[in-house]
Amino acid sequence: MSDAIKTAKLYIEEKNCKEALKLARKRHGKDDVEDYITILNLLIENDYLPALEEKGLYYQYYDETHDNGDYGEKYFDMYLDKQPRSINVLCDKALSQFNKGNIDESIELMDKSYEKYKSYSAIEKPRISKKEVLMGKIELLIQSKRYEEALTNLNTYENNFSGDEKSDLYKGQVLQKVGKPREAIEYLNKSLLNEDTLLAFNSRGDAYYNLKQYKDALKDYKNCIHYEGKIEDDLELITNFNYKAAFCCVNMGNDQEAIKYLNKTINMLNEHGRLPNDLEKIYQKCSFEKERIMKKGDVEDKEFRRSRFFSARTSLIILAVILIFYLILKFFGYGK
């Protein structure tokens, strides 16, 4: 038995479960999962409700198998059996349902949390505000591509809480998805005034693309490519701004530049083997377009070369080295 478990048992015997939970979290922070889970189990045996949610959250976010795809839901259910009006755990369970593909059930739980917020929050203080519950529902709707419903809820959000940086970004995205590119650009411009984000550049690029403003669209897609290294697991998004950058060039008559983006997209999709239908169609579209351009015989089959940027810290170091070198040369009489 480890020292941490011995200490946790003493805390529990002294009815100081809060300190035992803190200790468990410290063990988790040090990647000692065995002690972490053991302490949580001791707390659960002593009917300490927060330990049930903690264990559910572990399987929701940290466990590689997510407890064989359960995403912690059985622990959230055990919690809700004892405290059915917990805003926190209803939202936790909503995410578990979403991760299992049960979108309707997930949205129902978020609706219940939002509609009953006032009475439920009096029972157990929530970690998240009513405003954040609604935003959580909006994010689930966007992820499940239910854009019309997301737009309705975004309007509710604006009416009840006023707009903010996040709602501006999401409303711009959703307006573009439902075929309102001009309105989308207004919201995305507001979002980008606050922060440059790949999602905003991509959505605004799509809005310009749909309006056939290819020069503006290409500028936004190039910004996306600049930030591309920050995302790895969203092939659909990365494919979107790369292949549309190619077709912006095609529509502007710049076939040589188009070839570079087409090659990049084709090679990238080739690396992923079997593709979903939507991406397979894009792959075929890019392949046919490349073949069409190459048949003209007046362009080279060039690959895309990523521009390399130095970080601010690296740039300062380089500048300092240059300055020191200049001073040394000046000291020895050069440059007079």
Side-chain angles (χ1 to χ4, degrees), residues 66-98:
H66 302 288
D67 198 17
N68 295 317
D70 185 65
Y71 289 89
E73 188 170 11
K74 66 185 174 189
Y75 298 104
F76 302 140
D77 282 339
M78 289 166 67
Y79 190 113
L80 291 168
D81 282 343
K82 298 181 178 182
Q83 180 48 274
R85 294 191 287 178
S86 169
I87 296 290
N88 296 335
V89 181
L90 284 169
C91 292
D92 294 334
K93 183 175 178 178
L95 187 55
S96 296
Q97 287 284 347
F98 182 84

Side-chain angles (χ1 to χ4, degrees), residues 135 138-139 142 154 166-174:
M135 182 54 72
I138 290 165
E139 289 173 338
I142 291 173
L154 278 161
K166 188 177 279 190
S167 68
D168 286 341
L169 171 61
Y170 289 155
K171 192 161 185 180
Q173 281 185 279
V174 168

Side-chain angles (χ1 to χ4, degrees), residues 32-282:
D32 186 353
V33 174
E34 186 176 345
D35 274 9
Y36 171 66
I37 295 295
T38 300
I39 295 170
L40 292 183
N41 288 338
L42 289 170
L43 287 164
I44 290 167
E45 288 169 12
N46 283 270
D47 295 322
Y48 188 60
L49 273 181
L52 276 173
E53 187 188 13
E54 180 78 20
K55 193 169 181 182
L57 291 173
Y58 170 74
Y59 290 114
Q60 180 90 270
Y61 296 106
Y62 300 103
D63 179 58
E64 288 184 3
T65 70
H66 302 288
D67 198 17
N68 295 317
D70 185 65
Y71 289 89
E73 188 170 11
K74 66 185 174 189
Y75 298 104
F76 302 140
D77 282 339
M78 289 166 67
Y79 190 113
L80 291 168
D81 282 343
K82 298 181 178 182
Q83 180 48 274
R85 294 191 287 178
S86 169
I87 296 290
N88 296 335
V89 181
L90 284 169
C91 292
D92 294 334
K93 183 175 178 178
L95 187 55
S96 296
Q97 287 284 347
F98 182 84
N99 285 324
K100 292 178 180 181
N102 302 326
I103 310 302
D104 290 335
E105 292 86 344
S106 174
I107 299 302
E108 283 176 18
L109 287 164
M110 295 302 286
D111 281 338
K112 184 177 181 181
S113 302
Y114 184 74
E115 291 163 8
K116 304 286 187 180
Y117 192 92
K118 188 174 180 180
S119 59
Y120 281 18
S121 61
I123 303 297
E124 178 185 280
K125 185 178 179 181
R127 290 188 306 273
I128 55 178
S129 65
K130 187 176 183 180
K131 173 181 176 179
E132 289 168 327
V133 172
L134 181 55
M135 182 54 72
K137 178 187 174 184
I138 290 165
E139 289 173 338
L140 294 182
L141 287 167
I142 291 173
Q143 287 182 57
S144 57
K145 300 184 178 181
R146 289 161 62 162
Y147 299 119
E148 292 286 357
E149 291 177 68
L151 183 57
T152 299
N153 282 272
L154 278 161
N155 290 336
T156 300
Y157 184 94
E158 283 186 329
N159 291 335
N160 291 346
F161 307 110
S162 299
D164 53 37
E165 292 178 33
K166 188 177 279 190
S167 68
D168 286 341
L169 171 61
Y170 289 155
K171 192 161 185 180
Q173 281 185 279
V174 168
L175 284 166
Q176 190 279 318
K177 292 291 187 183
V178 299
K180 298 180 179 179
R182 295 189 190 281
E183 292 177 52
I185 289 168
E186 290 180 22
Y187 278 92
L188 293 165
N189 284 342
K190 286 197 291 182
S191 174
L192 286 164
L193 279 174
N194 289 306
E195 184 183 5
D196 287 353
T197 60
L198 188 150
L199 289 176
F201 281 128
N202 180 70
S203 293
R204 192 174 70 176
D206 285 351
Y208 282 132
Y209 190 90
N210 291 341
L211 292 168
K212 303 187 188 308
Q213 294 177 222
Y214 298 116
K215 184 177 179 180
D216 291 325
L218 181 58
K219 184 178 178 181
D220 278 341
Y221 292 140
K222 284 182 175 180
N223 279 321
C224 290
I225 290 166
H226 177 67
Y227 290 106
E228 183 178 325
K230 295 183 178 181
I231 54 171
E232 297 177 354
D233 57 351
D234 195 336
L235 184 60
E236 183 179 351
L237 175 61
I238 296 173
T239 300
N240 181 74
F241 54 73
N242 277 290
Y243 103 86
K244 283 182 180 170
F247 282 90
C248 284
C249 294
V250 169
N251 282 293
M252 292 190 294
N254 189 346
D255 287 347
Q256 185 61 73
E257 193 71 9
I259 283 293
K260 291 191 287 185
Y261 288 112
L262 288 168
N263 277 335
K264 182 184 176 188
T265 306
I266 291 166
N267 293 339
M268 177 176 64
L269 293 177
N270 264 331
E271 291 174 1
H272 285 80
R274 188 174 181 83
L275 297 166
N277 286 339
D278 289 349
L279 292 182
E280 180 64 34
K281 287 177 183 177
I282 291 171

